[in-house]
Amino acid sequence: MKIVVTGAAGFIGSNIVKGLNARGIDDIIAVDDLTEGDKFKNLADLQIADYVDADDFYDLFAEGAFGEVEAVFHEGACSDTMELDGKYMMDNNYTLSCELYQSCQEQGTRLLYASSAATYGGSDTFAESPEFEKPLNVYGYSKLLFDQRLRRELGAKFENATSQVAGFRYFNVYGPREQHKGRMASVAFHQFNQFRAEGKVKLFGEYGGYAPGAQMRDFVFIDDVVAVNLWFLDNPQASGIFNLGTGQAQPFNDVALTVVNTLRQSQGEAALSLEEAIRGGMIDYVPFPQALAGKYQCYTQADLGALRAVGCKHLFSNVQSGVASYMTSLGQIA
């Protein structure tokens, strides 16, 4: 089984390669742009058959240069929600995806691609339906436009696809192999480094009618994201757009407290309540940045109805278990 993973040196892409390797699959063509050379570390411990630069791959794939490919996991994109260059964003996230989709359909290759929960933006309902899609930035719009293009061509649930096409609206993903992402790395990753450096973690204060640290997101562990992607690899009959979150929103305070307590316990110290951690100065609330005002989702929670309807019964980790596991793995690396 030959597999292509675009964005293979990135966070989600490299974890998918790892998940494929765990199944004994190593006939993998890894596609990425290693201008940022340190991303090689995400591939260094993995088994692949070939590496192709992203600038070369899409034309070569359209020409059939790689022979018969079972599936493409398309994770390559500009995922910086603060990026303002719309032309760059649309070229990377929309135009290239459209070209790849056409090539996959022509060659009978399955396409499993990254959409985003940013497509919902200003909505308070997170179900895969056009009336709830209200992106707040050009990143969210670039992802939504590709979803819309596929709906027009394949039907609302991609029922007219000649080979599997499945898009995943990732919510707030965290976990190993995200160290290269800079400001776009997860809250948990930043807080790990903050606590080790300063003995405290930082969260946004009051905003959007929410108390400090009480804004809520659907935080999903990378192992769960990989498991769902691989479920679709095993179930080629399942096409459509699917939310990929836990289905349960939790406050940022839960992330912060799990980071603090996991790292404290690794040093033989007792777990604290939220109130004790705040009182002890281990959770520091900072003013909400004006640059994000009006562009920030204070609440997200994936509706898993569509995912469950196609038969995916995967059980997701909550923040307490997923973040604790992540902190342990980061501590081992550090």
Side-chain angles (χ1 to χ4, degrees):
M1 180 184 289
K2 184 182 293 182
I3 302 287
V4 169
V5 181
T6 72
F11 173 32
I12 295 175
S14 62
N15 276 285
I16 288 175
V17 174
K18 180 187 174 190
L20 290 166
N21 282 176
R23 290 182 162 206
I25 299 171
D26 60 7
D27 192 0
I28 300 168
I29 299 167
V31 179
D32 212 310
D33 176 345
L34 279 182
T35 300
E36 187 184 332
D38 269 359
K39 287 199 299 184
F40 87 90
K41 294 173 183 175
N42 279 344
L43 291 174
D45 62 337
L46 304 177
Q47 298 299 313
I48 60 174
D50 199 5
Y51 173 87
V52 181
D53 187 87
D55 286 346
D56 303 321
F57 168 74
Y58 295 92
D59 287 341
L60 288 170
F61 183 71
E63 295 164 4
F66 305 104
E68 186 175 337
V69 174
E70 175 67 25
V72 175
F73 289 92
H74 182 40
E75 311 300 322
C78 174
S79 58
D80 187 343
T81 58
M82 300 289 285
E83 175 60 61
L84 298 178
D85 186 337
K87 183 180 187 305
Y88 173 77
M89 190 71 78
M90 297 305 286
D91 284 348
N92 273 271
N93 295 0
Y94 177 69
T95 304
L96 277 181
S97 297
C98 289
E99 293 172 0
L100 179 61
Y101 156 72
Q102 292 291 351
S103 299
C104 284
Q105 289 288 287
E106 289 166 7
Q107 297 180 39
T109 298
R110 296 192 273 151
L111 177 63
L112 307 172
Y113 73 91
S115 182
S116 173
T119 54
Y120 298 116
S123 181
D124 58 4
T125 302
F126 304 91
E128 305 91 332
S129 188
E131 64 266 31
F132 305 126
E133 296 162 355
K134 303 173 183 178
L136 293 172
N137 51 47
V138 71
Y139 164 72
Y141 178 67
S142 70
K143 291 293 190 178
L144 176 59
L145 193 63
F146 183 58
D147 290 346
Q148 291 174 330
R149 165 80 175 265
L150 295 186
R151 282 170 172 158
R152 278 196 306 276
E153 295 203 14
L154 300 177
K157 296 185 178 181
F158 298 0
E159 60 270 18
N160 299 321
T162 55
S163 57
Q164 183 184 35
V165 181
F168 304 112
R169 290 187 169 169
Y170 298 136
F171 279 68
N172 282 66
V173 188
Y174 63 90
R177 302 178 193 265
E178 63 167 325
Q179 71 286 336
H180 62 284
K181 293 188 57 153
R183 65 183 179 179
M184 297 311 298
S186 71
V187 171
F189 177 79
H190 288 301
Q191 290 179 342
F192 170 83
N193 291 310
Q194 290 164 2
F195 193 80
R196 285 173 63 90
E198 306 173 33
K200 63 182 181 181
V201 302
K202 296 179 182 178
L203 282 181
F204 290 150
E206 184 178 354
Y207 176 73
Y210 289 82
Q215 297 90 358
M216 302 179 76
R217 292 279 183 90
D218 192 329
F219 299 99
V220 57
F221 190 36
I222 186 61
D223 289 4
D224 294 322
V225 168
V226 172
V228 172
N229 270 271
L230 295 183
W231 184 91
F232 277 82
L233 183 65
D234 293 338
N235 289 271
Q237 78 286 352
S239 288
I241 298 170
F242 303 94
N243 287 333
L244 215 172
T246 67
Q248 183 60 58
Q250 292 189 247
F252 282 86
N253 279 327
D254 283 5
V255 178
L257 188 63
T258 304
V259 170
V260 168
N261 280 336
T262 306
L263 296 180
R264 278 176 57 84
Q265 288 172 313
S266 72
Q267 298 165 355
E269 298 175 299
L272 302 174
S273 68
L274 179 62
E275 293 73 18
E276 289 169 335
I278 295 170
R279 197 161 54 241
M282 293 174 204
I283 297 179
D284 183 21
Y285 297 110
V286 300
F288 189 86
Q290 281 303 304
L292 289 179
K295 302 176 182 178
Y296 186 83
Q297 293 169 288
C298 288
Y299 176 88
T300 65
Q301 179 173 284
D303 181 328
L304 299 185
L307 188 69
R308 299 310 191 202
V310 295
C312 182
K313 305 302 183 186
H314 179 76
L315 298 178
F316 293 86
S317 303
N318 62 15
V319 161
Q320 285 76 7
S321 61
V323 171
S325 174
Y326 184 26
M327 292 302 104
T328 301
S329 67
L330 282 176
Q332 291 167 348
I333 294 168

